[in-house]
Amino acid sequence: ITNPYIGSSTDLDYAETNPNLIVRVGHASNQEARMGVSTDNGVTWTPAANAWESADGDHTSGEWVAVSANGDTIVWAPDGNGDRPVSYSTDLGQTWTASNGIPQGAIVSSDRINPDKLFGFHEGTFYVSTDGGANFTASAASGLPNNLNGKFKAAPTAEGDIWLASSDGLFRSTDSGASFQKLAGVDEAVSVGFGKEAPGKTYKTIYAGLRVNGGKYGFYRSEDEGASWIRINDDQHQFANARGTITGDGQVYGRVYIGTNGMGIVRGDIKQGATVQTPMQSYVNEMQPGYNLGNSLDARCSDETSWGNPVVTQAFIQQIAAQGFKSIRIPVTWYQHTGPAPSYTVDPAWMSR
C-alpha cells in the first residue's frame, strides 16, 4: 500500500457507519507522512498531514488512531520524542488541533454508536470525550491495569460498551468508561474483537486471544458476552506472534481474522458440517486431566481413613494441583453428618471441610 508508503503499520480504524472511510498510521521518518486516508474502502489512499511540525531526523511513530462512528472526526495519538499531543481533525487529516485533557502517549479508540464520543487510556486512567475529541475528561473508574495488551475496543452493539485486554485479564464497561468490571475466569487477554452474532443471539460474537481458568493461551470466541469461552484453535496453530489484533467478520458468523504481526492475516471459519462445540464442552476440555479422589469422603466411620485412604487436607489437594491436574472429583456422602428431623442440619465442622 502506497501514498503514503508506511514501513510498519501500527494501527487502523474505520468509520462504523461509513466503512469506506479507513485510516491507517505507522512508522516513517523525517517529514514523511505517518497517516494515510482512504474514502473508497482502501482502493486509493491520500497522505494526511502530520499532526506536529516534522523535520529531518524525526522518527515519530504513527502509533494509535480512532475514527468517529460517522467519520467526521479523526483522533490521532502519535508517539515520539518532543511535543506529540493527541490531536483531532475534522477535514480528513489535512489540519490538526491538539486535544485537551488527555496525555501524550495515550491509546485512543472511538465509540461505534455515538459519533461525538471518543475514548483514551493511559497508565491505568480512562478518558472520555463527548465533543468529537476536542476535550477529554478522566474517568473515575478504578481497578484498571496500568498497561494494556494492544488496543481497547468499543463493541458495535450499544453506546459505551467497551472492552480492554490486559495481562490482568479482560475488563468491560457498559457506561462509557465510568466504571469497569473484570470478567470472571479470564486470567490474561492480549486481544479482543467482535463479529456477527451467533444464530439465535442478539449480542455480537466476541473473539479474543486469552487464557481461561488457568488453561493455555489460545484463541477463543464467546457467544454469551464473555460468560463462557470456546477455544477455536489448538496448540499446533498458535500463529507465531499473533498477540496484537483479532476481529470477527460482521457478516459471516464464526469467521475470524487474526493479525500475526508480520506474517500475514489468518482467516478462520467453522468447518462445514463440523459439530459446533458448546461452551460447556469447552469447559470440560479445559478440565483435563482430572483427578478422582475416590470414595474417601464417602466413608461411614469415624473419618475418611477407615478405608485405608489418607486424610484429605488442603496440602493434599495442592499436591494434586502441583502435579498438573486441572480438576478434581470429590464424592461425598452426607447422611451420617446430618442432624435429626425436621431440619437435618449438616455438622458445621464437616461443612467447613
Side-chain angles (χ1 to χ4, degrees):
I1 300 176
T2 60
N3 201 33
Y5 172 78
I6 297 176
S8 295
S9 294
T10 54
D11 196 16
L12 180 149
D13 198 13
Y14 67 94
E16 186 69 32
T17 61
N18 178 23
N20 283 327
L21 175 57
I22 306 172
V23 179
R24 60 187 172 94
V25 295
H27 298 311
S29 299
N30 305 319
Q31 301 181 49
E32 298 170 351
R34 274 70 162 182
M35 175 184 287
V37 178
S38 174
T39 58
D40 55 12
N41 203 24
V43 177
T44 61
W45 295 86
T46 300
N50 288 330
W52 65 95
E53 192 67 33
S54 55
D56 289 344
D58 181 3
H59 299 291
T60 299
S61 166
E63 211 63 17
W64 305 107
V65 68
V67 181
S68 65
N70 61 4
D72 286 353
T73 303
I74 302 171
V75 173
W76 192 5
D79 186 38
N81 295 327
D83 186 19
R84 303 291 184 263
V86 175
S87 300
Y88 69 98
S89 172
T90 57
D91 55 9
L92 298 181
Q94 297 311 298
T95 60
W96 296 92
T97 302
S99 301
N100 297 312
I102 185 171
Q104 178 179 325
I107 303 172
V108 294
S109 192
S110 66
D111 192 87
R112 311 313 281 182
I113 305 296
N114 186 339
D116 294 325
K117 191 170 286 187
L118 294 109
F119 308 112
F121 181 93
H122 187 258
E123 294 182 352
T125 299
F126 197 79
Y127 298 85
V128 182
S129 172
T130 58
D131 58 5
N135 298 281
F136 284 81
T137 302
S139 164
S142 60
L144 291 173
N146 196 55
N147 298 297
L148 301 183
N149 290 329
K151 189 172 184 175
F152 68 91
K153 295 180 182 179
T157 51
E159 181 178 340
D161 189 358
I162 305 159
W163 297 73
L164 286 74
S166 79
S167 298
D168 295 331
L170 190 61
F171 294 78
R172 183 188 184 186
S173 172
T174 56
D175 54 13
S176 296
S179 62
F180 282 85
Q181 293 76 42
K182 184 178 182 296
L183 267 68
V186 178
D187 305 312
E188 175 187 10
V190 296
S191 57
V192 63
F194 309 94
K196 182 175 175 59
E197 57 273 8
K201 301 289 186 177
T202 58
Y203 195 85
K204 296 294 183 181
T205 302
I206 305 169
Y207 296 90
L210 42 77
R211 290 192 305 109
V212 181
N213 297 321
K216 292 184 177 180
Y217 167 79
F219 299 105
Y220 293 79
R221 77 170 182 268
S222 174
E223 299 168 0
D224 53 13
E225 301 184 49
S228 61
W229 297 92
I230 301 168
R231 190 173 181 186
I232 58 175
N233 74 320
D234 56 32
D235 292 347
Q236 286 70 49
H237 297 86
Q238 295 282 42
F239 306 115
N241 192 27
R243 299 172 67 87
T245 186
I246 189 171
T247 192
D249 193 297
Q251 305 299 319
V252 181
Y253 161 67
R255 179 169 293 173
V256 62
Y257 304 93
I258 301 171
T260 61
N261 194 23
M263 298 182 65
I265 298 172
V266 174
R267 192 190 92 176
D269 288 282
I270 297 176
K271 185 177 180 181
Q272 294 297 318
T275 301
V276 177
Q277 189 179 81
T278 65
M280 185 56 66
Q281 183 61 51
S282 181
Y283 274 127
V284 171
N285 292 345
E286 292 293 339
M287 291 168 64
Q288 306 305 318
Y291 183 93
N292 185 5
L293 187 63
N295 298 106
S296 295
L297 299 180
D298 282 327
R300 294 184 294 274
C301 302
S302 58
D303 60 42
E304 59 262 35
T305 65
S306 59
W307 289 347
N309 294 328
V311 175
V312 182
T313 63
Q314 183 177 15
F316 181 65
I317 299 297
Q318 290 173 339
Q319 182 181 11
I320 293 171
Q323 294 176 11
F325 293 99
K326 296 181 180 179
S327 61
I328 184 170
R329 175 179 178 268
I330 307 177
V332 179
T333 297
W334 296 91
Y335 73 87
Q336 70 268 32
H337 300 286
T338 59
S343 60
Y344 299 102
T345 302
V346 177
D347 177 11
W350 179 254
M351 181 65 78
S352 68
R353 293 285 303 276

